[in-house]
Amino acid sequence: MIPFLDLKQINNQYKDELISACKRVIESGWYILGEEVEKFEKEFASYCGTDFCIGVNSGLDALTLIMRGYKELGVFEEGDEIIVPANTYIASILAITENRLKPVLIEPDLRTYLIDSEQIENKITDKTKAIMVVHLYGQTCEMEPISEIAKNYNLKIIEDSAQAHGAFYKGKRAGNLGDASGFSFYPGKNLGALGDGGAVTTNDKELAEILRALRNYGSQKKYENLYKGVNSRLDEIQAAMLRVKLKYLDDEIEKRRKIAEFYLENIKNPRIVLPFVRKKEEHVWHLFVIRTENRDKLQRYLYDRGIQTMIHYPIPPHKQKAYQEWNNIFLPVTEKIHREVLSIPIYGSLSLDKVKYIVDAINRF
């Protein structure tokens, strides 16, 4: 079986360095908010091109704390509206509702699967305070028109960059395309930890200071609590793991680009809709997502031939039981995408022979 993602094989490439980093943390005697987190925050901020990075426990926490930080700053109030793509993982929505803010769902562009900027302005009201953009599958949203709308209506731009580590838009990396950005370091990401982890990047010093307190029980000084905070701190060992893997992230991206290019050039089955690529040097290919009306049949067919695939995602947020108040909403583009998409294997250690086998199987379908 060709696995959808072989994390053991991926991390084996860096095994000696990962063990050395883990040993370094163990021998330091300091395991929470120490030197490894501080150094990783500086290194990742530099990589993204931002002034600040705040390590947290997960990508969901990163987005949730951005919202909370803006509430503490008085930028958001309960009941305010946040524009967000309907075609996203549920975490994007959870971060909004957890803060008692109101998500306003926008349909995607069927070509890119990203938020359709032409639909945003019609949804803006006097309660709208921000646009959340989700850089899905490794490609950034078309930020120029979105930034123009945000500027005209005095809205914040929050990036969900959980799938876009290293992605570019016109010379700037994801994480530096809005006011604040949430990253996930879930093990399967292009920059994946060996457990959970996340971070916020921003150029806003005041927001960064609040987030550093919020992640640590609302405290900037031990036993003095300025806010009703949470415990959401990036672990020292995970920070050490991420420091190792960050050095190789651009190499991993290049390997993914070569595999994606092979798929794009060689998958010829007319039943398959291939991904749209705005600029090949900007896309980082967290996922390679194809689309077909016979998705479930294709997935079974590939599995029978030893190819594991995934569906990102089978049920859109507005059809989830968690948001049953939205279950009667009809969002045709989002629902079509969720019915038809299938993610095929793509990662740096996937051999060319296996890539060719996958292409051949899809073409024979």
Side-chain angles (χ1 to χ4, degrees):
M1 176 69 69
I2 299 173
F4 174 72
L5 187 64
D6 192 336
L7 290 176
K8 184 176 179 181
Q9 188 180 48
I10 290 168
N11 288 317
N12 268 343
Q13 300 172 98
Y14 323 117
K15 183 176 179 180
D16 291 344
E17 288 186 73
L18 292 171
I19 290 171
S20 177
C22 187
K23 184 180 178 184
R24 186 172 69 237
V25 174
I26 293 168
E27 291 178 349
S28 76
W30 193 291
Y31 308 122
I32 301 289
L33 291 184
E35 189 174 279
E36 298 294 339
V37 169
E38 186 177 337
K39 287 184 175 179
F40 173 72
E41 288 176 339
K42 289 179 180 176
E43 290 160 5
F44 194 63
S46 176
Y47 180 81
C48 294
T50 59
D51 293 335
F52 306 103
C53 171
I54 303 94
V56 297
N57 187 55
S58 68
L60 173 57
D61 279 6
L63 293 172
T64 302
L65 288 172
I66 290 170
M67 302 288 177
R68 174 71 189 284
Y70 279 131
K71 286 179 73 178
E72 295 292 348
L73 285 169
V75 178
F76 299 165
E77 295 179 355
E78 282 190 20
D80 282 343
E81 296 173 355
I82 310 296
I83 286 172
V84 63
N87 180 45
T88 185
Y89 183 55
I90 198 169
S92 311
I93 314 291
L94 290 171
I96 299 169
T97 57
E98 177 66 18
N99 281 285
R100 298 187 179 183
L101 301 166
K102 182 181 177 183
V104 176
L105 303 178
I106 303 289
E107 284 268 61
D109 181 331
L110 184 58
R111 186 180 59 158
T112 65
Y113 311 137
L114 303 170
I115 192 168
D116 186 347
S117 60
E118 293 184 2
Q119 297 192 40
I120 292 174
E121 205 161 3
N122 292 334
K123 296 286 188 174
I124 294 173
T125 72
D126 58 359
K127 296 289 285 180
T128 308
K129 294 297 170 66
I131 303 167
M132 181 187 286
V133 294
V134 182
H135 305 311
L136 209 56
Y137 310 150
Q139 183 163 238
T140 60
C141 296
E142 188 69 64
M143 293 303 299
E144 273 189 350
I146 295 170
S147 297
E148 189 66 25
I149 293 168
K151 181 181 177 182
N152 291 341
Y153 290 90
N154 194 30
L155 306 177
K156 295 293 185 186
I157 294 178
I158 298 167
E159 297 174 77
D160 181 341
S161 300
Q163 298 186 10
H165 314 70
F168 278 99
Y169 180 80
K170 298 193 174 180
K172 295 178 74 174
R173 288 195 196 271
N176 192 25
L177 301 173
D179 295 285
S181 177
F183 284 90
S184 166
F185 303 124
Y186 183 77
K189 305 298 184 183
N190 288 19
L191 179 61
L194 274 69
D196 260 325
V200 175
T201 55
T202 184
N203 293 310
D204 185 333
K205 183 178 180 181
E206 193 175 10
L207 178 65
E209 288 176 352
I210 286 176
L211 294 178
R212 290 191 195 284
L214 287 173
R215 72 172 176 186
N216 190 36
Y217 300 98
S219 174
Q220 291 176 334
K221 183 179 178 182
K222 195 164 186 175
Y223 301 131
E224 293 183 12
N225 303 81
L226 301 174
Y227 311 99
K228 297 173 183 175
V230 297
N231 178 4
S232 180
R233 303 173 295 206
L234 180 63
D235 187 82
E236 274 287 284
I237 285 183
Q238 296 305 336
M241 303 292 105
L242 289 166
R243 290 185 67 208
V244 171
K245 296 182 72 175
L246 180 59
K247 295 185 296 183
Y248 301 102
L249 177 56
D250 287 343
D251 291 338
E252 170 68 18
I253 289 169
E254 280 306 311
K255 291 173 183 175
R256 287 170 177 260
R257 283 179 178 148
K258 288 177 181 176
I259 294 169
E261 193 170 340
F262 191 90
Y263 281 150
L264 290 169
E265 289 177 356
N266 292 283
I267 294 175
K268 303 293 186 182
N269 190 324
R271 294 181 179 84
I272 305 298
V273 179
L274 293 170
F276 168 81
V277 183
R278 189 172 56 240
K279 286 188 177 180
K280 64 180 183 180
E281 66 271 20
E282 294 183 342
H283 205 312
V284 296
W285 297 105
H286 170 58
L287 298 171
F288 192 97
V289 180
I290 59 177
R291 187 161 57 84
T292 178
E293 292 180 357
N294 300 305
R295 188 267 310 283
D296 295 341
K297 185 177 179 182
L298 173 60
Q299 186 175 43
R300 287 192 300 271
Y301 167 90
L302 292 174
Y303 183 84
D304 289 345
R305 282 149 186 81
I307 302 166
Q308 186 183 40
T309 59
M310 297 280 286
I311 300 171
H312 296 91
Y313 301 95
I315 306 172
H318 72 283
K319 294 297 183 183
Q320 297 283 357
K321 188 175 181 181
Y323 291 107
Q324 56 188 310
E325 66 272 23
W326 294 341
N327 286 174
N328 292 328
I329 295 175
F330 179 49
L331 297 171
V333 181
T334 296
E335 290 167 30
K336 178 179 178 65
I337 289 168
H338 286 250
R339 279 196 310 272
E340 296 182 358
V341 290
L342 187 68
S343 302
I344 62 176
I346 185 166
Y347 45 95
S349 58
L350 188 65
S351 71
L352 181 59
D353 285 345
K354 290 179 179 177
V355 173
K356 288 178 176 177
Y357 177 78
I358 293 166
V359 168
D360 184 61
I362 291 171
N363 284 338
R364 290 173 182 272
F365 174 66

